Amino acid sequence: MTTATPLLFERASQKYIAIRTKISRDEIGSIVPEIYSELSAWISANNISISGAPIIRYFFIDYGTGDVDIDVGFPISSNAMPANNRIKVDEIPYGTYATLIHNGSYENLFETTAMLLAWGRQQGIKWQSPQDSKVSKWKSRIEHYLVGFADTQNPNDWKTEVAILVE
């Protein structure tokens, strides 16, 4: 359930540590928690300090196949990290983002994102997202899990910010 009105915010760039994966949208609920667990254990073992809520950054969504290419990670304040082929440091780009807060279970998060995109169309907003008829590619489309499964077992208390970079 979304209760907030979309807002525009200018944001600084943000470094993050992540594992990139290409999976089916239907697998997000089962695979992403496993990736967070793996990444959290590695972060802890290597004394990496996180500086914010967990994120998923979407690079593309193929509506024909249902595949998504995503980074699953955490914001950090440093580039320093031990070598690892699976785990990388990247950066969420600086810019103006349209944002909307989703309250509750992740099951309806797709609808919240659709609401934000529809609001953007009504406002004449252009996304930094080249698209064809079946594939959306994103320069920066992020979900920030402000309160999530790691914080409380009650999905009614979860809060997710959807943020999309505008042109």
Side-chain angles (χ1 to χ4, degrees), residues 30-76:
S30 61
I31 292 179
V32 166
E34 293 172 7
I35 293 173
Y36 278 129
S37 292
E38 175 188 349
L39 186 58
S40 293
W42 190 88
I43 286 169
S44 180
N46 288 280
N47 296 315
I48 305 289
S49 180
I50 61 170
S51 62
I55 65 164
I56 292 180
R57 180 177 180 189
Y58 290 81
F59 291 97
F60 80 75
I61 302 169
D62 185 328
Y63 295 102
T65 65
D67 290 340
V68 295
D69 184 9
I70 57 176
D71 272 351
V72 177
F74 297 92
I76 58 171

Side-chain angles (χ1 to χ4, degrees), residues 1 12-13 20 23 32 63 81 99 106 129 153 164:
M1 171 193 210
S13 60
R20 192 161 183 174
I23 57 177
V32 166
Y63 295 102
M81 82 175 218
T99 66
Y106 305 140
S129 171
Q153 295 300 309
I164 304 175

Side-chain angles (χ1 to χ4, degrees), residues 2-7 9 98-102 109 111-117 119 160-164:
T2 301
T3 57
T5 301
L7 299 171
F9 288 105
T99 66
L100 187 58
I101 301 294
H102 172 83
L109 193 51
E111 293 168 10
T112 298
T113 303
M115 287 172 58
L116 181 59
L117 293 169
W119 174 82
T160 306
E161 178 195 58
V162 178
I164 304 175

Side-chain angles (χ1 to χ4, degrees), residues 90-105:
D90 204 341
E91 187 171 277
I92 298 169
Y94 157 85
T96 301
Y97 286 78
T99 66
L100 187 58
I101 301 294
H102 172 83
N103 297 301
S105 169

Side-chain angles (χ1 to χ4, degrees), residues 130-150:
Q131 296 186 24
D132 64 33
S133 62
K134 294 193 189 241
V135 177
S136 294
K137 297 177 184 175
W138 301 94
K139 181 170 182 184
S140 193
R141 175 178 160 186
I142 313 291
E143 293 171 357
H144 297 268
Y145 297 92
L146 306 175
V147 177
F149 59 86

Side-chain angles (χ1 to χ4, degrees), residues 118-133:
W119 174 82
R121 280 190 300 277
Q122 292 170 351
Q123 302 299 313
I125 290 174
K126 293 185 181 186
W127 311 109
Q128 289 200 21
S129 171
Q131 296 186 24
D132 64 33
S133 62

Side-chain angles (χ1 to χ4, degrees), residues 8-11 94-98 164-167:
L8 293 172
F9 288 105
E10 190 167 321
R11 295 193 168 165
Y94 157 85
T96 301
Y97 286 78
I164 304 175
L165 185 61
V166 303
E167 226 172 64

